[in-house]
Structures are given as C-alpha cells and as structure tokens.
Amino acid sequence: MTTFQATPEFAATLDAQDPLRRFREQFHIPPAPDGGESIYFCGNSLGLQPRTVRAAIEQELESWERQAVEGHFRGSSPWMPYHETLADSTARLVGAKPLEVIVMNNLTTNLHLLLISFYRPTATRYKVLMEGGAFPSDQYAVESQVKLHGYAPDDAIVELVPRPGERTLRTEDIEAKIREVGEELALVLLGGINYYTGQAFDMQAITKAGHAVGATVGFDLAHAAGNLVMHLHDWDVDFACWCSYKYLNSGPGGVSGAFVHERFANRPDLPRLAGWWGHDASERFQMKKGFKPMAGAAGWQLANGQIIALAMHRAALNIVDEAGGIAVLRRKSEELTAYLEFVLRNLNLPPSILEIITPSEPQDRGCQLSLLVHKDGRGLFDYLSEAGVIGDWREPNVIRLAPVPLYNTFGEVQRVGELMAAWAERVR
C-alpha cells in the first residue's frame, strides 16, 4: 500500500495514476450548494445514475411504443428472455454459475421467497442466528417467518453481539455461537457487510461452520454486491440475495439479485412460493396445472421481469464489466478507503470525540467507513452537507462515508480531510 500524504498534490498524483478515472464521466454527479459538483460519498445508500440509463429506458419505451405486445418476442432485446441477458454479468459479480443466479423483484421479497424454501424448522431444529441490530427489513422478515412456523421470535432468533467494549463481531465468536446453538440451529442468516458498522464478514468460514452443525447458511448481500469480491459457489453458500441500487447504481428501488447454489438446481421437492414465470419455460404457455420449476435460481421467479428496471440494471452492469469486473473495482476501493481512513486518523482526534468503528483490515470491510461522533455529530454532518459532501446519517450519532471506486476520487477524499480538519479545530 502507498505511503499516504494528506495533501492536494499527493491526491492528484493518485488520481492521475488511477486506471478507473475515466469512469467518473459516465455518471451524473449531483450539484453542491455552491453550484459545483458535490462530493458524493453515499453510494452505500443509493448509487449515482449512469449516463447510459436514460438511453436504455428510452429503448424499451420505443419498443413498447412501436411494437406493443410483440416487444416480448421482437427487437434487439425481446422482453420474454430479457432477464437471461443479465445472467453472465450477475454470476461474475458474485462468484457463481449463471444457473445459480436470477434478477427479479426487490430484496426483501426475494429474501422471503428464499426463506420459505430454506428455513424449514423442525421441533428440535428451529433457531435462526443473525446479527444483533441487523438491518430492520432482515429483522422483520425473519420475525415474520419464525411466526409463520409457530415459533416465538424471542426464542427462535439468536442474535450475535460484539464482546463488551468492542464495536464489531469476531469470526471466532460467530463460529463459537454456531457450535453452541448446534443441533437447534436451522439457519444462519447474516449480512455480507453490516450496514451500520461497515464490517465485512468471513462468509466462507461462517458457511463452513454452519454446515458443520447441519444448518443452512444464507446472506443478505445488500452492502456487499458490487463492493466485495465474492465466490458464493466455491464458498458453498446455500442462498443469498441483494439489491442493485447501492454499489450497482441501478436506480432507486432497483431490481434484486438472488443466488441459489446449484445443488438445489433440480429440487422440485423444495417448498417454494410458485409463480408462472418460474415454471418450466418449455411448457409455460401450455397453461396446465401442476408447477414444474425451472432449473436453478430461475425456478424461484414469480412473474415476468420489470423491463424498465432490468434495462437500468443492465446498463449499470455493463459499466462494471467495461471497467474490468469486481476484482478491478475492489483494488481501487481498498486504496481509496485506506486513504480516507488515513486522512481521518491524521486529524489526531481522541476517541472521546470521534471513533472509526469500521475495521481497519481491508478484508474486514468494504468501501464504507462509519464514524461514531461523540461530540456534536449532527452538527458535523450538517457542516459537511453545507460544504457539498453527501454522506449518510444513522441514529444516534454515526456518519457513514463511502467512497465508491467507479466515480469517487482521491482528491475528494483529501478535500473531506480538509473539511474535517477545520471542524476538528473547533471541537477540540
């Protein structure tokens, strides 16, 4: 890793050497209050709009306008098999086989569909292990699924919490809790990255530990997809799902991805909520009774794809592929995040004023740093916002900053350091 300096000249040198620098031009950067470009460090909440999205939408509107129902079968991208055009890019993104992935619905919808199949409790094996303080949608989804099977959430849901005085979870503690719950454990469900702390979990080790006690293992990859290099197939993960509107820049409420390991590809006996689009495509239009699922993740589809949303997502995925894929993005991301950590620690603020609660090791985080601000946190957030820095506030006093490799620069990181230094002089 480069020995950093917190100077504009040093940041400019890093930007000049950045092989991804041209991709910033492919995104719309929101304006700052002064009329210039904002410093957008909020891709962990909503990614920026690719400039290619408008044309992608207009292409489908034109197809609808000119071909109407025949657009399902004609044109450069017929709607019937449209979702299939995303399979290869999606598989590369998460380290899967095309058979194992599908793009459909929204994240929590997909989570519920997968839980119906993969949370199959028995009288003795019914517990779910998840993060304490997991993202609310995950909490609510699991609570409702547990109740659906007749169990009480307080009994069936086991929450992982850090050791006293620590902010994040240790892998060995997760593994130990899995062994402790043991034969009562039906499901391990964690985020690939914790939305609040920015901690990335060792998904391979967790999957191995869960399988060792006979549990199913799944992940919510909302903050990991487009952020981490993953190998879901090789890690033997049972299932996963993710959204596309954060690091994948596919628009607000964008479509979700889902992964189901290929060992379940031809398991029509697996309970699931079925729909027409998940039925064997070769027989779909025979309109017969009796659901026969498509092989692989496609067998979890309910209905035909949302074409406008899929078009936006495909435009965004094309940029990832053009940039060289997730491994290339990750290399810049690690350095960009390390530089942000450097300029923040260079402020020399005591922990009584500001803590970085995201782990320092690159393998333990994505591109987000979570700042626990003990002194006037909301004031700092508002100050940064007025200066054109768009970050993210989480109650009670955390600011999340996420420099994204496709469109953020080292110069922006350095500028945030300058702004923070001016604030630090006032609060020391």
Side-chain angles (χ1 to χ4, degrees):
M1 190 66 72
T2 307
T3 301
F4 292 131
Q5 300 172 28
T7 65
E9 296 77 16
F10 180 80
T13 299
L14 291 180
D15 283 326
Q17 298 170 349
D18 175 18
L20 298 177
R21 62 186 179 276
R22 68 183 178 89
F23 287 94
R24 178 180 173 87
E25 299 174 358
Q26 296 195 31
F27 292 87
H28 292 285
I29 310 297
D34 66 3
E37 291 182 338
S38 66
I39 297 176
Y40 192 80
F41 280 6
C42 205
N44 58 328
S45 188
L46 178 66
L48 294 183
Q49 181 187 135
R51 293 183 180 273
T52 51
V53 157
R54 190 178 303 275
I57 293 173
E58 289 177 349
Q59 178 180 325
E60 303 313 323
L61 292 178
E62 182 178 351
S63 183
W64 183 18
E65 173 189 337
R66 297 175 66 87
Q67 301 183 87
V69 71
E70 292 301 317
H72 286 93
F73 314 102
R74 296 179 181 176
S76 59
S77 296
W79 301 329
M80 276 281 292
Y82 199 104
H83 62 280
E84 297 173 7
T85 68
L86 287 79
D88 289 343
S89 292
T90 302
R92 288 191 293 270
L93 186 74
V94 297
K97 297 182 178 181
L99 176 75
E100 296 175 313
V101 295
I102 190 67
V103 177
M104 60 183 186
N105 307 317
N106 297 101
L107 173 54
T108 306
T109 300
N110 285 344
L111 180 58
H112 274 296
L113 293 175
L114 293 168
L115 288 174
I116 286 290
S117 298
F118 293 104
Y119 176 56
R120 306 304 304 171
T122 67
T124 57
R125 187 185 288 276
Y126 62 94
K127 293 189 175 181
V128 181
L129 183 67
M130 59 191 307
E131 305 148 73
F135 193 78
S137 282
D138 288 6
Q139 295 184 52
Y140 305 155
V142 173
E143 287 173 6
S144 63
Q145 290 281 339
V146 162
K147 291 178 180 177
L148 187 67
H149 290 278
Y151 297 97
D154 288 345
D155 176 40
I157 299 173
V158 179
E159 295 188 331
L160 294 159
V161 295
R163 296 184 184 188
E166 297 185 2
R167 303 292 185 184
T168 54
L169 295 164
R170 298 190 187 192
T171 300
E172 60 264 33
D173 291 348
I174 299 173
E175 294 171 321
K177 180 60 72 172
I178 289 172
R179 291 191 297 269
E180 177 187 326
V181 182
E183 294 183 356
E184 292 184 307
L185 188 60
L187 173 67
V188 178
L189 179 66
L190 299 179
I193 292 179
N194 181 274
Y195 84 99
Y196 188 77
T197 66
Q199 178 185 12
F201 295 110
D202 188 338
M203 289 179 267
Q204 183 177 20
I206 291 167
T207 301
K208 182 178 180 181
H211 287 170
V213 301
T216 300
V217 182
F219 293 96
D220 175 348
L221 304 176
H223 288 266
N227 191 5
L228 298 180
V229 176
M230 295 180 286
H231 304 281
L232 298 184
H233 174 84
D234 291 344
W235 293 344
D236 209 28
V237 171
D238 293 305
F239 70 92
C241 49
W242 57 93
C243 57
S244 65
Y245 52 80
K246 301 181 191 298
Y247 299 107
L248 295 177
N249 309 302
S250 297
V255 292
S256 170
F259 164 88
V260 178
H261 198 279
E262 73 169 340
R263 65 177 167 275
F264 305 110
N266 294 293
R267 287 282 306 277
D269 59 307
L270 271 178
R272 70 185 82 194
L273 297 180
W276 188 49
W277 219 251
H279 186 82
D280 183 354
S282 67
E283 300 181 6
R284 187 180 293 150
F285 282 89
Q286 294 178 15
M287 307 297 197
K288 294 179 179 179
K289 291 183 178 180
F291 179 70
K292 290 177 60 177
M294 295 272 288
W300 272 264
Q301 294 177 102
L302 297 181
N304 54 323
Q306 309 110 294
I307 297 301
I308 299 300
L310 289 175
M312 295 165 66
H313 187 39
R314 188 168 72 174
L317 285 177
N318 286 344
I319 295 176
V320 174
D321 287 339
E322 183 187 349
I326 186 62
V328 174
L329 299 185
R330 178 65 175 158
R331 281 196 292 273
K332 177 183 174 181
S333 176
E334 289 184 358
E335 189 166 16
L336 198 62
T337 306
Y339 190 46
L340 178 60
E341 182 180 11
F342 169 80
V343 299
L344 293 174
R345 294 200 184 282
N346 197 53
L347 301 174
N348 295 316
L349 287 169
S352 60
I353 295 178
L354 184 144
E355 294 179 70
I356 300 174
I357 62 174
T358 307
S360 286
E361 294 299 322
Q363 70 270 18
D364 295 331
R365 67 186 183 195
C367 70
Q368 168 187 317
L369 292 185
S370 295
L371 316 182
L372 185 61
V373 188
H374 295 287
K375 190 171 182 180
D376 193 25
R378 187 70 207 196
L380 171 58
F381 181 78
D382 292 342
Y383 159 74
L384 291 173
S385 298
E386 291 165 4
V389 179
I390 301 177
D392 186 60
W393 174 257
R394 283 290 179 265
E395 296 290 349
N397 55 344
V398 164
I399 298 172
R400 303 187 304 173
L401 299 176
V404 173
L406 273 173
Y407 50 74
N408 286 130
T409 69
F410 292 91
E412 290 178 313
V413 171
Q414 190 275 333
R415 175 58 181 153
V416 168
E418 288 184 341
L419 292 168
M420 292 283 289
W423 170 80
E425 288 301 313
R426 300 202 301 265
V427 299
R428 288 185 195 275

